[in-house]
Amino acid sequence: MSDLRILAEGLRFPEGPVAFADGSVALVELEARRITRIAPDGAKSTIATVEGAPNGLAVGSDGALYLCNNGGFAWHEEAGLLRPSGQAADYSGGRIERIDPATGAVTRLYDSCDGVPLKGPNDLVFDGKGGFWFTDLGKVRARDRDHGGVYWAAEDGSRIVEAAYPVFGGGNGIGLSPDGEVLYVAETETGRLWAWDILSPGRLRKAPWPSVHGGRLLCQFPGFRRLDSLAVAASGNVVVATLVSGEITTVSPSGEIVEVVTMPDRMPTNICFGGPDLRTAYVTLSTTGRLAALPWSEPGLRLAFG
């Protein structure tokens, strides 16, 4: 599309963009195991390096960066395209980490819930009530895979709750409605977008069987489409990075697909909103290692600590 600009290239599977007021964007490079800042002129600088694989990224109430670390992927690269290909040989376990953006110091907050190890934390969103919701995609191996799930955790490291489990196709993108009353989760392998009403931090209203995790199906995406991260617009629309088809898909709060924007990569994995009016969309084009920016048709929702 003619109004799409490439801000940075040569990134090693970028995800988790976070837009700052100065026009810079922080993101993760999964394969390179680092958190990188992209300046408005495209210059790159390293905020921190981590073991495992950095995934979802968000700013907390203290200004620190909070990270979903999935523990590590194996990688496949051909013809200039890079993509994950299952659990890494040196997989080090899933965890939630806090990163000091000034020093790059990494602190582990959580690596289990009720004695059960986290497998592959993927994305997170702060609720402005002392904590954050996050997804676990699970890990994929040659002959089996983990179930995904949805969790809530206190920002100070004091409490973690398994809120919805299992998400068979892997919990990926996660976001909150503008009023903070509804939680949205994208399930990767099934192409399904789920919603739960929030009762309190860590507690979701569960629908009865046959929904095993208690969510209500908001939208079943058509054809062969896998879902990655998501963002929420100020209108309440849910904007989902859509894999395989290489699209950004907007779904209304009632579940209708209202807009589809094609991206120049089959794996546009993450989207966030920035700029003074939150009408600039930043999209990670992951297999080709690029960060793109484009004007969006509506403003994004201002995050709790954005």
Side-chain angles (χ1 to χ4, degrees), residues 13 15 30-31 53 70 72-78 81-89 91 137-145 189 226 267 287:
F13 210 87
E15 290 203 29
L30 274 78
E31 193 268 351
N70 70 44
F73 281 136
W75 295 94
H76 177 82
E77 189 167 14
E78 61 179 328
L81 302 178
L82 178 69
R83 56 184 172 83
S85 60
Q87 182 173 304
Y91 169 66
L137 186 69
K139 301 300 285 187
V140 177
R141 294 165 291 275
R143 295 284 179 176
D144 68 303
R145 65 169 296 149
E189 302 301 339
R226 301 166 69 239
M267 292 185 72
T287 63

Side-chain angles (χ1 to χ4, degrees), residues 91-268:
Y91 169 66
S92 54
R95 63 264 196 188
I96 303 295
E97 295 171 323
R98 177 189 182 275
I99 297 171
D100 184 328
T103 66
V106 179
T107 304
R108 183 175 299 199
L109 290 182
Y110 302 99
D111 55 21
S112 65
C113 179
D114 296 328
V116 179
L118 299 175
K119 302 301 195 300
N122 186 277
D123 207 357
L124 72 165
V125 61
F126 278 85
D127 62 6
K129 300 176 181 179
F132 52 89
W133 299 90
F134 73 93
T135 53
D136 193 316
L137 186 69
K139 301 300 285 187
V140 177
R141 294 165 291 275
R143 295 284 179 176
D144 68 303
R145 65 169 296 149
D146 303 313
H147 296 322
V150 182
Y151 298 81
W152 182 89
E155 183 177 356
D156 63 6
S158 63
R159 178 174 176 247
I160 182 171
V161 177
E162 182 184 274
Y165 188 90
V167 180
F168 291 123
N172 200 313
I174 191 166
L176 292 165
S177 61
D179 61 7
E181 299 298 320
V182 180
L183 183 73
Y184 299 110
V185 171
E187 185 177 7
T188 295
E189 302 301 339
T190 63
R192 292 171 181 162
L193 179 62
W194 297 96
W196 289 261
D197 294 333
I198 298 171
L199 298 175
S200 62
R203 291 184 62 234
L204 301 172
R205 177 174 287 114
K206 302 294 183 67
W209 182 89
S211 174
V212 293
H213 49 55
R216 64 178 184 275
L217 181 63
L218 190 70
C219 182
Q220 171 70 70
F221 281 51
F224 181 26
R225 284 168 170 81
R226 301 166 69 239
L227 306 187
D228 208 292
S229 186
L230 63 83
V232 177
S235 66
N237 286 334
V238 185
V239 186
V240 187
T242 310
L243 309 181
V244 182
S245 59
E247 298 163 344
I248 303 295
T249 308
T250 299
V251 179
S252 73
S254 57
E256 294 84 16
I257 292 176
V258 296
E259 185 178 26
V260 178
V261 179
T262 301
M263 292 286 112
D265 191 308
R266 294 193 74 180
M267 292 185 72

Side-chain angles (χ1 to χ4, degrees), residues 6-15 27-34 36-38 42-46 77 80-82 265 283-292:
I6 299 299
L7 302 181
E9 299 183 273
L11 303 167
R12 301 297 289 177
F13 210 87
E15 290 203 29
L27 51 75
V28 306
E29 295 184 68
L30 274 78
E31 193 268 351
R33 302 184 177 189
R34 65 176 167 245
T36 301
R37 184 186 294 270
I38 311 296
K44 306 170 194 171
S45 58
T46 298
E77 189 167 14
L81 302 178
L82 178 69
D265 191 308
V283 179
T284 48
L285 306 174
S286 294
T287 63
T288 52
R290 298 176 290 172
L291 174 67

